[in-house]
Amino acid sequence: MSSNCALILAAGEGTRMKSSKPKVLAEVLFTPMIDLIIRAAKEGGVDNICVVTGHQSEIVEEHLGGKYRTVKQEKRLGTGHAVMQAKEFIKEHLHENILILTGDCPLMDSATVKAAYEAHVTHRNAVTVISAKVDNPFGYGRIIRAKDGKFKRIAEEKEATQAEKIINEVNSGAYWFSCSVLLDALEGIVAMHDKKKLPNVEYYLTDAIEVIIDKGLTAMAYEADSPNVVLGVNDRIQLMEVNEIARKEVLFKNMLNGVSIPSMDGVVISPDAKIGRDTVILPGTIVKGTTVIGENCTIGPYSIVEDSVIEDGVTLNNVHCYSSTIRKNAKIGPYVRIRPNCDIGEGVKAGNFVEFKNTKIGSHTSVAHLTYIGDADFGSNINVGCGCATANYNGKEKFRTKVDDNAFLGCSTYLVAPVNVGKNCYTAAGSVITEDVPDNSLAIARSRQVVKKNWIIKKKPYKWQK
Amino acid sequence: MSSNCALILAAGEGTRMKSSKPKVLAEVLFTPMIDLIIRAAKEGGVDNICVVTGHQSEIVEEHLGGKYRTVKQEKRLGTGHAVMQAKEFIKEHLHENILILTGDCPLMDSATVKAAYEAHVTHRNAVTVISAKVDNPFGYGRIIRAKDGKFKRIAEEKEATQAEKIINEVNSGAYWFSCSVLLDALEGIVAMHDKKKLPNVEYYLTDAIEVIIDKGLTAMAYEADSPNVVLGVNDRIQLMEVNEIARKEVLFKNMLNGVSIPSMDGVVISPDAKIGRDTVILPGTIVKGTTVIGENCTIGPYSIVEDSVIEDGVTLNNVHCYSSTIRKNAKIGPYVRIRPNCDIGEGVKAGNFVEFKNTKIGSHTSVAHLTYIGDADFGSNINVGCGCATANYNGKEKFRTKVDDNAFLGCSTYLVAPVNVGKNCYTAAGSVITEDVPDNSLAIARSRQVVKKNWIIKKKPYKWQK
Amino acid sequence: MSSNCALILAAGEGTRMKSSKPKVLAEVLFTPMIDLIIRAAKEGGVDNICVVTGHQSEIVEEHLGGKYRTVKQEKRLGTGHAVMQAKEFIKEHLHENILILTGDCPLMDSATVKAAYEAHVTHRNAVTVISAKVDNPFGYGRIIRAKDGKFKRIAEEKEATQAEKIINEVNSGAYWFSCSVLLDALEGIVAMHDKKKLPNVEYYLTDAIEVIIDKGLTAMAYEADSPNVVLGVNDRIQLMEVNEIARKEVLFKNMLNGVSIPSMDGVVISPDAKIGRDTVILPGTIVKGTTVIGENCTIGPYSIVEDSVIEDGVTLNNVHCYSSTIRKNAKIGPYVRIRPNCDIGEGVKAGNFVEFKNTKIGSHTSVAHLTYIGDADFGSNINVGCGCATANYNGKEKFRTKVDDNAFLGCSTYLVAPVNVGKNCYTAAGSVITEDVPDNSLAIARSRQVVKKNWIIKKKPYKWQK
């Protein structure tokens, strides 16, 4: 794609969102809308991006983190006025084309951006309006075409005739402009505003199209495949609807790729996740970020997997897993939390009420119940009894624990880090291990049992005894 | 609103519910239908309420707990007959108007009740029928109007002509009557029944309207805004449908108020809950009772919050929380249960597999994993290690535990109540604390570790060893 | 029903499933499609079943486990060709009728099979096509009838005229044939194929119908009640849709039987489960296998119950329960896992983060929190403190633990099996019990507490201390 640029309009207040945050940071599939728009532009082939901020510009700029140029629209005087703020940016790209996107239409996609660009350059358009056909066009600018199908103009809701109102091809608010034409047209918008003697000082970008057509330049409307590209988010019901459309689109794509999702209830999958064939995703499972899941896994119900690698044949039943790797055929759950930086070995079984953190667990080790292992390196074929834990923190620092292959940790073994348990070792139930245990040894740290006979009869400690 | 009264018809058996309980106790959004109806009447401005019970009247009366007058309809001989049972009640309010509601139409709302009352008194109606337009009028009584729109009569399904059957304005079964007119009309119903020589002894309240119109008095149909007011619950599919309508209505209301609900799957919010702006409610979250949630919280996925106060900035991920207060910026979950009467301080972190009961936790205390704290007062900045618990019950009585600020409880510390741990104290991992620990002290209660070298080689305790 | 047989076509590859498994093993409500089809045939009254395998025949045959006869279709040359492979089977049943079902239409049901058979024998048909009326007939073979309603022929999508294309009665691909007629017709298909000079060597079973009609024999189309019987599964979106239809059908059936399901989100109930009146199933609950649930239970939210018996009045809140019995009025959850072969007694309370395995718990025993009981026999009225466990495994063998009635296990009691705790016994908090405790005794196995005063001031172990 030849050189070009994009302008993203992200100045709006979004009053109906009833938010203390800028509207463009509202999330769709856990991603702020502005990021989705920027991605559509970038994956659509645009390198230079400028964002027009306005309402709470400092928050938007902080979010962008200096990665994109910004200009501020001090007063919100319409989309045309927003574009005017970026005059310098447009001038710098005078011989290019510019993509204009609105920051609150999060379902605009890169394929549409690219295809519209193709149409734009192929037909040497001065401007290409991205349009779409929708079920209910109310409120949108209608695309008015001549009998031969050629784009004529946009009729806004309030100025549309009855005949125009039933037209269901509408303006998405996204455009490709020739930069030089756009610059000229911005002047024209002001002149047109003055001529029309409009009551409010508001400049609309759609007027630029009128200006361009008046000059006899080529304007075209490119109809996108999906009606969703026009969907704007103005309140949180619309935000939910857009989330639901985006959610189902990703789920359908995964199903067609060979992933079984018997019910979509509560299932959310990131568009960046990759999931292998014959894997089953059960209800209530949320897959976030750049997670990669292999084939023949069963994920869910009610699991969260974020930025993790899950190899083939893994079961995650009611598991929360963050930034970790789970190797082949591991069976995890229910009620297990895997915190960042874990590497859980092949064939590991981790049962209920178990937590791992910053830990490596070797293959075929079993951690069946009520156990916490943090900051630790566990070998293979270890059996961890019920109610064990690493005591990795002493109030000041965190230390690591090491347990070697084939060890057997009796129930309620507490390993006070830093400490090493050698190969084949055995710890007695109820032991607090504070010193290293050499290979092949038994470690025991508990008191002998004492029985006081008939103590109950003398003491009667129960309320239900007479 | 001038003085008036209401009669709620709650005698029906509801055979198709296949229940051993009275139908009017079936729940919509976790609230018995009869309570929703009573609330619509009360919030609609009615003070004196009488409930007509019948089938399993003792259970309904027990549920009402003596708060409302009741009359019993011994035999179920129709809605007109049901109203006749309340003659004494109507007589006592002779110069008032009476609202009649059916106990199995749970979506009748106070705004409709009020607006219909306004119409009733403004037009000095003898009776005002509450109607609504529905998509499918089959089975309902149709509202027949004259050409000028004036209400003429109600045509029941079986007596409606083909032309009448396509009318989609229907009778909700709710009415405002002048009490004196109603009393007269009840006599008229009986006469009409006898005149019509109906085969069954059943008296219909709709006949009262015919009687009133025959007398030349003013009858009017007030059309409600929502079609849902007419929805009756006769089986559990309808109960589910009504629940879903009510559920979505509350969710939409919250979204418009600034609450983000990216997917509604499994989300149920009580109509009495209050949720602040920019709070996100994730799938599977149930908010019950009079819960108040602040701004910028993240609640869910898969949390239950009932009758609790959640301050701003709180995270509740997979948490069950009942009748408690969670203060600012606390991060709780996943897999945490907070039982009644807890006060969890600002900035507290409570991690996985943790339970609190009847306990106060000071600010910035951390309870990361596998711990139970019950009947306790914990100060601020305490670090509770993994696998700790308060032993608050001795078989006879429950006692409290107190831990002061800045304490560090080592892993697997058990506090046997009543016991106090002072400021800055430290308990060694694996200690059972049975006596008070003064400020700044270390408490330790465990055996020294003993290592038996090469024990494994001698004993061969593992099945996988040769 | 007189003697008859069935042939199930299960040879297809199902490329669009993108699976490494045969399509007929894809699951609907957790049951492979082939099993659902076999069940429809068997419950429809058919005893002798033959399955035509093809793609990955060995996996299908392994799944069938030798319970049904199979023939292999080496090359996939159409449905007619598939049936030809079973010639021997058909010959053996020469004087019977044969039901032909396709393995990827999982919603074909036994009632339809039976009713079609009734029509087939009553009208002495040579063939009876099972049809259904659908909303969108595109892609299906249309049922062409004469003006008098008599079945004439099937028009496939590509050969259908415009007028035929709008016909919405379609072929399900399921048929009843007279075996002898079918055998003859199979010859006819080949002849017809040769006559038509079709480019590919593919033989269609629908051509058999043409052959039969050409011979002047009686062919009939039996219209099924439900459009779902025609739904085929060719990709995983269709698999999801069929799952959702099947899921809701079971939920509606349960609701009509008196089960409350206020929201269907995430609720999946096995068609083989039985649930009593007034039981409430909350969101996210999965009931699998042949589970039986009593009356007045509350199951969910977010529970899994498989192959278990749940008696009346039980609460299972966020519980996973497999192959176990839970007796009357037990209150279990949240966050409890009951593994196979448990018997949980009447009125038992089991609280959060508790696991049972292969264990009997007597009535009214309380296991409130953070406890694992495995391979054990617990009596009645026992109080198990927080953080207890049975140590049932020593690395080589598993042993049982026995605790008798009225015992009180202090917090963090570990019972090292094999071990017995007698009646009314008491164990001190933090004790590891390795030897039997006689009735009425106190067992204690822990160190005395030592306090080191001002240790904190000397050692300064905390990072937040100066």
Side-chain angles (χ1 to χ4, degrees):
Chain A
M1 192 174 282
S2 74
S3 188
N4 53 43
C5 62
L7 191 67
I8 294 172
L9 309 185
E13 184 171 354
T15 324
R16 283 157 55 202
M17 296 294 283
K18 304 222 171 136
S19 179
S20 61
K21 294 171 196 158
K23 179 165 75 167
V24 294
L25 296 189
E27 297 187 355
V28 173
L29 294 187
F30 302 113
T31 307
M33 294 200 292
I34 183 88
D35 295 3
L36 293 172
I37 303 294
I38 288 173
R39 174 198 281 219
K42 288 173 82 170
E43 295 186 351
V46 179
D47 295 318
N48 291 298
I49 292 172
C50 177
V51 177
V52 183
T53 65
H55 179 68
Q56 295 180 311
S57 58
E58 56 304 335
I59 300 180
V60 176
E61 285 183 15
E62 194 197 330
H63 174 78
L64 296 174
K67 283 184 285 183
Y68 304 100
R69 187 157 162 182
T70 61
V71 293
K72 188 168 176 188
Q73 184 188 17
E74 292 286 351
K75 291 181 183 173
R76 256 76 72 210
L77 302 175
T79 47
H81 180 257
V83 175
M84 288 171 199
Q85 312 311 306
K87 260 188 191 168
E88 282 312 307
F89 176 76
I90 302 171
K91 273 184 194 160
E92 290 168 24
H93 297 271
L94 199 61
H95 303 296
E96 299 176 11
N97 291 294
I98 187 164
L99 170 69
I100 297 185
L101 297 176
T102 48
D104 58 357
C105 290
L107 300 182
M108 176 56 68
D109 60 288
S110 60
T112 300
V113 162
K114 268 188 192 165
Y117 181 77
E118 287 306 312
H120 184 70
V121 295
T122 305
H123 297 88
R124 303 192 182 181
N125 298 337
V127 58
T128 304
V129 180
I130 299 179
S131 69
K133 285 205 174 120
V134 296
D135 283 345
N136 178 10
F138 181 80
Y140 290 98
R142 311 299 199 284
I143 301 295
I144 311 298
R145 293 181 181 272
K147 279 189 183 163
D148 62 0
K150 262 194 173 168
F151 172 67
K152 279 171 66 181
R153 63 189 170 81
I154 295 168
E156 296 299 334
E157 181 68 35
K158 38 190 169 184
E159 64 190 40
T161 64
Q162 281 310 108
E164 287 168 351
K165 275 186 179 165
I166 59 169
I167 292 171
N168 73 338
E169 183 183 3
V170 302
N171 178 17
S172 70
Y175 316 87
W176 277 102
F177 279 97
S178 149
C179 284
S180 56
V181 170
L182 177 59
L183 271 180
D184 281 356
L186 290 177
E187 309 295 332
I189 291 177
V190 179
M192 186 174 291
H193 178 274
D194 294 347
K195 203 180 77 184
K196 285 187 180 171
K197 295 184 180 161
L198 295 176
N200 301 318
V201 186
E202 285 220 17
Y203 304 107
Y204 299 107
L205 190 55
T206 42
D207 283 346
I209 292 158
E210 208 175 327
V211 169
I212 288 168
I213 290 172
D214 285 354
K215 286 190 180 164
L217 296 169
T218 317
M220 179 177 159
Y222 169 81
E223 190 195 325
D225 286 342
S226 163
N228 299 332
V229 299
V230 310
L231 292 177
V233 170
N234 294 303
D235 62 35
R236 300 207 197 223
I237 291 178
Q238 291 175 341
L239 182 64
M240 179 273 291
E241 288 166 346
V242 156
N243 262 292
E244 285 297 47
I245 289 168
R247 181 171 82 94
K248 284 180 183 158
E249 209 167 79
V250 178
L251 298 187
F252 285 174
K253 195 193 70 181
N254 274 283
M255 287 185 225
L256 292 178
N257 283 343
V259 178
S260 272
I261 305 176
S263 168
M264 301 192 290
D265 289 356
V267 178
V268 188
I269 297 178
S270 158
D272 301 322
K274 292 204 175 72
I275 307 182
R277 288 181 177 202
D278 292 320
T279 282
V280 181
I281 307 287
L282 292 172
T285 293
I286 299 175
V287 179
K288 296 174 90 169
T290 57
T291 293
V292 177
I293 297 176
E295 302 189 349
N296 285 306
C297 296
T298 301
I299 311 296
Y302 306 104
S303 294
I304 298 176
V305 187
E306 181 169 331
D307 292 333
S308 293
V309 174
I310 312 297
E311 295 187 355
D312 294 348
V314 167
T315 297
L316 297 182
N317 173 2
N318 236 299
V319 171
H320 290 205
C321 176
Y322 298 88
S323 303
S324 291
T325 297
I326 316 286
R327 302 198 180 274
K328 272 189 191 173
N329 301 323
K331 279 183 96 76
I332 318 286
Y335 308 119
V336 170
R337 183 189 187 193
I338 299 169
R339 291 163 62 191
N341 204 23
C342 288
D343 183 328
I344 308 299
E346 191 175 329
V348 162
K349 288 189 186 169
N352 30 231
F353 322 123
V354 167
E355 174 191 3
F356 297 113
K357 190 207 83 178
N358 188 26
T359 277
K360 183 169 168 44
I361 303 286
S363 59
H364 303 291
T365 283
S366 165
V367 188
H369 17 223
L370 292 158
T371 287
Y372 163 57
I373 301 179
D375 299 323
D377 300 284
F378 273 55
S380 299
N381 295 309
I382 294 168
N383 187 86
V384 179
C386 177
C388 294
T390 54
N392 52 319
Y393 181 54
N394 68 357
K396 244 182 191 160
E397 291 168 275
K398 298 206 169 175
F399 299 96
R400 289 194 79 80
T401 298
K402 187 163 186 277
V403 178
D404 224 325
D405 297 348
N406 300 321
F408 182 98
L409 301 183
C411 289
S412 188
T413 294
Y414 281 78
L415 302 163
V416 181
V419 75
N420 299 303
V421 175
K423 277 205 170 95
N424 304 322
C425 282
Y426 203 105
T427 63
S431 298
V432 177
I433 303 300
T434 53
E435 295 157 33
D436 287 356
V437 185
D439 290 355
N440 301 310
S441 303
L442 166 72
I444 183 163
R446 70 173 184 228
S447 306
R448 278 213 72 84
Q449 179 180 334
V450 175
V451 171
K452 302 194 176 177
K453 289 195 183 169
N454 294 322
W455 182 86
I456 300 298
I457 291 162
K458 287 175 239 152
K459 293 273 186 168
K460 301 199 191 313
Y462 301 132
K463 67 178 169 195
W464 60 80
Q465 289 183 317
K466 275 104 209 177
Chain B
M1 191 173 281
S2 75
S3 189
N4 53 43
C5 62
L7 191 66
I8 294 172
L9 310 185
E13 183 171 357
T15 324
R16 283 157 55 201
M17 297 294 282
K18 302 219 172 141
S19 179
S20 62
K21 293 171 197 158
K23 180 164 76 167
V24 294
L25 296 189
E27 296 188 357
V28 174
L29 295 187
F30 303 112
T31 306
M33 294 200 292
I34 183 89
D35 294 3
L36 293 173
I37 303 295
I38 288 173
R39 177 198 281 217
K42 286 172 84 171
E43 295 185 354
V46 179
D47 296 318
N48 291 298
I49 291 173
C50 177
V51 177
V52 182
T53 65
H55 178 69
Q56 294 179 309
S57 57
E58 58 302 337
I59 301 180
V60 176
E61 283 183 17
E62 192 196 331
H63 173 77
L64 295 175
K67 283 185 286 184
Y68 304 100
R69 185 156 164 184
T70 60
V71 293
K72 187 166 175 191
Q73 183 187 16
E74 292 287 352
K75 291 183 184 174
R76 256 76 69 210
L77 302 175
T79 47
H81 180 258
V83 174
M84 288 171 198
Q85 313 311 306
K87 261 189 191 166
E88 281 313 306
F89 176 75
I90 303 170
K91 273 184 195 160
E92 289 167 27
H93 297 271
L94 198 62
H95 304 295
E96 300 177 14
N97 290 295
I98 187 164
L99 169 69
I100 296 186
L101 297 176
T102 49
D104 58 357
C105 290
L107 300 181
M108 175 56 68
D109 60 287
S110 60
T112 299
V113 162
K114 267 188 193 165
Y117 181 77
E118 285 307 313
H120 184 72
V121 296
T122 305
H123 296 88
R124 303 191 182 181
N125 297 336
V127 57
T128 303
V129 180
I130 300 181
S131 70
K133 287 206 173 119
V134 295
D135 284 345
N136 177 9
F138 180 82
Y140 289 99
R142 311 299 198 286
I143 300 295
I144 312 299
R145 291 180 182 275
K147 278 189 183 162
D148 62 359
K150 262 195 173 166
F151 171 69
K152 279 171 66 183
R153 61 189 172 81
I154 294 169
E156 295 301 334
E157 181 68 36
K158 38 190 168 182
E159 65 190 38
T161 64
Q162 281 311 107
E164 287 168 351
K165 274 186 178 165
I166 60 170
I167 292 171
N168 71 339
E169 184 183 1
V170 303
N171 177 17
S172 70
Y175 316 88
W176 276 105
F177 280 95
S178 148
C179 285
S180 55
V181 171
L182 177 59
L183 271 180
D184 280 356
L186 290 177
E187 310 294 332
I189 290 176
V190 178
M192 185 174 292
H193 178 274
D194 295 347
K195 203 181 77 186
K196 286 186 181 174
K197 295 183 181 163
L198 295 176
N200 301 318
V201 186
E202 285 218 18
Y203 304 107
Y204 299 109
L205 189 54
T206 43
D207 283 346
I209 293 157
E210 210 176 325
V211 168
I212 288 168
I213 290 171
D214 285 355
K215 287 190 181 164
L217 296 170
T218 316
M220 179 176 159
Y222 169 81
E223 189 195 328
D225 287 341
S226 164
N228 300 332
V229 298
V230 310
L231 292 176
V233 170
N234 294 303
D235 62 35
R236 300 209 199 222
I237 292 179
Q238 291 175 341
L239 182 64
M240 180 272 290
E241 288 166 346
V242 156
N243 262 291
E244 285 296 47
I245 290 168
R247 181 171 82 94
K248 284 180 184 159
E249 208 167 81
V250 178
L251 299 187
F252 284 174
K253 194 192 70 180
N254 275 283
M255 288 185 222
L256 292 178
N257 283 345
V259 177
S260 271
I261 304 175
S263 168
M264 299 192 289
D265 290 356
V267 178
V268 188
I269 297 179
S270 157
D272 300 321
K274 291 205 175 73
I275 307 182
R277 290 182 175 198
D278 293 319
T279 283
V280 180
I281 305 288
L282 291 172
T285 293
I286 299 174
V287 179
K288 297 174 88 169
T290 57
T291 292
V292 177
I293 298 176
E295 301 189 352
N296 286 305
C297 295
T298 301
I299 310 296
Y302 306 105
S303 294
I304 299 175
V305 187
E306 181 169 330
D307 292 331
S308 293
V309 175
I310 313 296
E311 294 188 355
D312 294 348
V314 167
T315 297
L316 297 182
N317 172 3
N318 235 298
V319 171
H320 289 204
C321 176
Y322 297 87
S323 303
S324 291
T325 297
I326 316 286
R327 302 198 178 273
K328 272 189 190 173
N329 302 320
K331 278 182 98 75
I332 317 284
Y335 308 119
V336 170
R337 182 188 188 193
I338 300 170
R339 291 163 62 192
N341 204 23
C342 289
D343 182 330
I344 308 298
E346 191 175 330
V348 162
K349 288 187 187 171
N352 30 231
F353 321 124
V354 167
E355 174 191 3
F356 297 113
K357 191 208 83 178
N358 188 24
T359 276
K360 182 170 168 46
I361 304 286
S363 60
H364 303 290
T365 282
S366 166
V367 187
H369 18 223
L370 291 157
T371 287
Y372 163 57
I373 302 180
D375 299 323
D377 301 282
F378 273 54
S380 299
N381 295 308
I382 293 168
N383 188 87
V384 179
C386 177
C388 294
T390 54
N392 51 317
Y393 181 54
N394 67 357
K396 243 183 189 157
E397 290 168 275
K398 298 203 171 181
F399 298 96
R400 288 193 80 80
T401 297
K402 187 162 186 280
V403 178
D404 223 325
D405 298 347
N406 301 319
F408 181 99
L409 302 183
C411 289
S412 188
T413 295
Y414 281 78
L415 302 164
V416 181
V419 74
N420 299 303
V421 175
K423 276 205 171 96
N424 304 321
C425 282
Y426 203 106
T427 62
S431 297
V432 177
I433 303 300
T434 52
E435 296 157 32
D436 286 357
V437 184
D439 291 354
N440 302 309
S441 303
L442 167 71
I444 182 163
R446 71 176 182 224
S447 306
R448 279 213 71 82
Q449 180 180 334
V450 174
V451 171
K452 303 194 175 178
K453 289 195 184 170
N454 294 322
W455 182 86
I456 301 299
I457 292 163
K458 286 175 242 153
K459 294 273 186 168
K460 301 198 191 314
Y462 300 132
K463 66 176 170 198
W464 59 82
Q465 288 182 321
K466 274 106 210 176
Chain C
M1 192 173 282
S2 73
S3 189
N4 53 43
C5 62
L7 192 64
I8 294 172
L9 309 185
E13 184 170 357
T15 324
R16 283 156 58 201
M17 295 295 282
K18 303 221 171 137
S19 178
S20 62
K21 293 172 196 158
K23 180 164 78 168
V24 294
L25 296 189
E27 296 186 357
V28 173
L29 294 188
F30 302 112
T31 306
M33 293 199 293
I34 183 87
D35 294 2
L36 293 173
I37 303 296
I38 289 173
R39 175 197 282 219
K42 287 172 83 171
E43 294 186 352
V46 179
D47 296 317
N48 291 299
I49 292 173
C50 177
V51 177
V52 183
T53 65
H55 179 68
Q56 296 180 310
S57 57
E58 58 302 338
I59 301 180
V60 176
E61 284 182 16
E62 194 196 330
H63 173 77
L64 295 175
K67 281 184 286 182
Y68 303 100
R69 186 158 165 180
T70 60
V71 292
K72 188 167 175 189
Q73 183 187 19
E74 292 288 350
K75 292 182 184 172
R76 255 77 69 210
L77 302 175
T79 46
H81 180 258
V83 174
M84 288 170 199
Q85 312 311 306
K87 261 187 191 169
E88 282 312 309
F89 176 76
I90 302 170
K91 273 184 195 160
E92 291 168 25
H93 298 271
L94 199 62
H95 304 297
E96 300 177 11
N97 291 295
I98 187 164
L99 170 69
I100 297 187
L101 297 176
T102 49
D104 58 359
C105 289
L107 301 182
M108 176 56 68
D109 60 287
S110 60
T112 300
V113 162
K114 267 189 193 164
Y117 181 78
E118 287 305 314
H120 183 71
V121 296
T122 305
H123 297 88
R124 303 190 182 183
N125 297 336
V127 57
T128 303
V129 180
I130 300 180
S131 69
K133 287 207 173 116
V134 296
D135 284 344
N136 178 9
F138 181 81
Y140 289 98
R142 311 300 198 283
I143 300 295
I144 312 297
R145 292 181 182 274
K147 278 190 184 161
D148 62 359
K150 262 195 174 167
F151 171 67
K152 279 172 66 183
R153 61 190 171 82
I154 294 169
E156 296 299 333
E157 181 68 35
K158 36 190 171 187
E159 63 190 39
T161 64
Q162 282 311 107
E164 287 168 352
K165 276 186 178 163
I166 58 170
I167 292 171
N168 72 340
E169 183 183 2
V170 302
N171 178 16
S172 70
Y175 316 87
W176 277 103
F177 279 96
S178 149
C179 285
S180 55
V181 170
L182 177 59
L183 270 180
D184 281 355
L186 290 176
E187 310 294 332
I189 290 176
V190 178
M192 186 175 291
H193 178 274
D194 295 346
K195 202 181 78 183
K196 285 185 181 173
K197 294 183 182 166
L198 294 177
N200 301 317
V201 186
E202 286 219 17
Y203 305 107
Y204 299 108
L205 189 55
T206 42
D207 283 345
I209 292 158
E210 211 175 322
V211 169
I212 289 168
I213 290 172
D214 284 355
K215 288 191 180 164
L217 297 169
T218 317
M220 179 177 159
Y222 169 81
E223 189 195 326
D225 287 341
S226 163
N228 299 333
V229 298
V230 310
L231 291 177
V233 170
N234 294 302
D235 62 33
R236 301 209 198 223
I237 292 178
Q238 291 174 341
L239 183 64
M240 179 272 292
E241 288 166 346
V242 156
N243 262 290
E244 286 296 46
I245 289 168
R247 182 170 81 94
K248 284 180 184 158
E249 209 167 79
V250 178
L251 299 187
F252 285 174
K253 194 193 71 183
N254 274 283
M255 288 185 225
L256 292 179
N257 282 344
V259 177
S260 270
I261 305 176
S263 168
M264 298 192 291
D265 289 357
V267 178
V268 187
I269 296 178
S270 158
D272 301 321
K274 292 206 175 71
I275 308 181
R277 290 183 176 198
D278 292 319
T279 282
V280 181
I281 306 286
L282 291 172
T285 293
I286 299 174
V287 179
K288 298 174 88 170
T290 55
T291 292
V292 177
I293 298 176
E295 302 190 350
N296 286 305
C297 295
T298 301
I299 311 296
Y302 306 105
S303 294
I304 298 176
V305 187
E306 181 170 329
D307 292 332
S308 293
V309 174
I310 313 297
E311 294 187 356
D312 294 348
V314 166
T315 297
L316 298 182
N317 172 3
N318 236 297
V319 171
H320 290 205
C321 176
Y322 298 87
S323 303
S324 291
T325 297
I326 316 286
R327 302 198 179 274
K328 271 191 192 172
N329 301 322
K331 278 182 98 77
I332 317 285
Y335 308 120
V336 169
R337 183 189 187 193
I338 299 169
R339 292 164 62 193
N341 204 22
C342 288
D343 182 329
I344 308 299
E346 190 175 331
V348 162
K349 288 189 186 172
N352 29 231
F353 321 124
V354 168
E355 174 191 2
F356 297 113
K357 191 207 82 177
N358 188 24
T359 277
K360 181 169 169 45
I361 303 286
S363 61
H364 303 292
T365 282
S366 165
V367 186
H369 18 223
L370 292 157
T371 287
Y372 163 57
I373 301 179
D375 299 323
D377 301 284
F378 273 55
S380 298
N381 294 309
I382 293 168
N383 188 87
V384 179
C386 177
C388 293
T390 53
N392 51 318
Y393 181 54
N394 68 356
K396 245 183 190 160
E397 291 169 273
K398 297 204 170 177
F399 298 96
R400 288 194 80 81
T401 298
K402 187 162 187 277
V403 178
D404 223 326
D405 297 349
N406 301 320
F408 182 98
L409 301 182
C411 289
S412 188
T413 294
Y414 281 78
L415 302 164
V416 182
V419 75
N420 299 304
V421 175
K423 277 208 172 94
N424 304 321
C425 282
Y426 202 105
T427 63
S431 297
V432 178
I433 302 300
T434 53
E435 294 156 34
D436 286 357
V437 184
D439 290 356
N440 301 310
S441 301
L442 167 71
I444 183 161
R446 71 175 182 225
S447 306
R448 278 213 70 82
Q449 179 181 335
V450 174
V451 171
K452 302 192 176 181
K453 288 196 183 167
N454 294 321
W455 183 86
I456 300 299
I457 292 163
K458 287 175 241 153
K459 294 272 186 169
K460 300 198 190 316
Y462 299 132
K463 68 178 169 194
W464 60 80
Q465 287 183 323
K466 275 103 210 176

